[in-house]
């Protein structure tokens, strides 16, 4: 069974070609059940944004196009690698559908945590505990 921890979009905050959160971009969370964006995006320094810095599009409740296709594609991708406990697929939406351009076998979930604590979800916490993915003593005491 595949459990989506979160969804997120990284985007450039300047006229750079780099959209990585760690390279100066911003990251906004996606409600995985609906494909709607969270209200705020954050940069790596914790600055909060309500709108895309380049396009001025409001993040709150923005609907990701073809979200059902994207999430089904992400699920198939995870199932193709059953020996990995946690994957971070980077997926682009092209005119012909979702496309995988990178898989992170040890994804950095720092940007995800800015949108809310992942381990607050009891099911996620249970699975992290089951697969020994809790990385520090404070998490293990949850």
């Amino acid at each position: 069974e595949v459990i989506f921890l979160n969804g997120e979009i990284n985007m450039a905050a300047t006229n750079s070609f780099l959209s990585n959160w760690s390279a100066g971009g911003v990251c906004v969370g996606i409600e995985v059940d609906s494909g709607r964006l969270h209200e705020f995006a954050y940069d790596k320094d914790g600055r909060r944004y309500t709108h895309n810095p380049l396009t001025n599009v409001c993040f709150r409740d923005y609907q990701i196009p073809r979200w059902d296709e994207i999430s089904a594609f992400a699920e198939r991708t995870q199932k193709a690698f059953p020996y990995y406990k946690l994957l971070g697929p980077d997926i682009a939406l092209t005119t012909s559908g979702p496309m995988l351009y990178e898989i992170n076998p040890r994804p950095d979930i720092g940007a995800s945590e800015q949108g809310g604590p992942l381990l607050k979800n009891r099911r996620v916490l249970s699975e992290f505990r089951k697969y020994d993915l809790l990385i520090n003593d404070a998490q293990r005491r949850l």
Side-chain angles (χ1 to χ4, degrees):
E1 179 181 5
V2 174
I3 299 171
F4 289 107
L5 299 181
N6 71 320
E8 61 191 47
I9 294 177
N10 293 298
M11 59 195 77
T14 64
N15 287 327
S16 168
F17 289 108
L18 300 175
S19 62
N20 301 50
W21 177 75
S22 61
V26 297
C27 179
V28 61
I30 304 168
E31 293 295 329
V32 295
D33 293 334
S34 68
R36 294 194 177 279
L37 296 184
H38 291 181
E39 184 173 2
F40 303 109
Y42 296 90
D43 65 20
K44 70 178 180 178
D45 295 320
R47 286 184 291 258
R48 189 165 69 175
Y49 299 80
T50 58
H51 291 71
N52 180 293
L54 295 176
T55 65
N56 205 33
V57 171
C58 181
F59 295 125
R60 182 181 200 166
D61 292 330
Y62 181 89
Q63 178 65 51
I64 302 297
R66 300 163 64 183
W67 182 249
D68 290 340
E69 279 181 70
I70 295 167
S71 57
F73 181 81
E75 184 170 352
R76 286 192 309 274
T77 301
Q78 175 66 54
K79 287 180 176 180
F81 298 92
Y83 40 86
Y84 281 99
K85 300 171 189 170
L86 179 64
L87 286 177
D90 291 348
I91 299 170
L93 181 59
T94 70
T95 55
S96 58
M99 176 191 82
L100 180 70
Y101 63 91
E102 178 183 46
I103 296 178
N104 299 287
R106 298 180 67 180
D108 177 3
I109 58 174
S112 303
E113 284 291 317
Q114 286 186 337
L118 297 177
L119 298 179
K120 184 176 181 180
N121 179 322
R122 289 291 179 197
R123 185 168 181 214
V124 171
L125 176 61
S126 173
E127 292 299 311
F128 269 56
R129 187 172 282 125
K130 176 179 168 182
Y131 290 106
D132 196 27
L133 295 171
L134 301 173
I135 61 170
N136 61 48
D137 290 338
Q139 289 177 333
R140 290 185 182 101
R141 286 191 295 268
L142 291 174

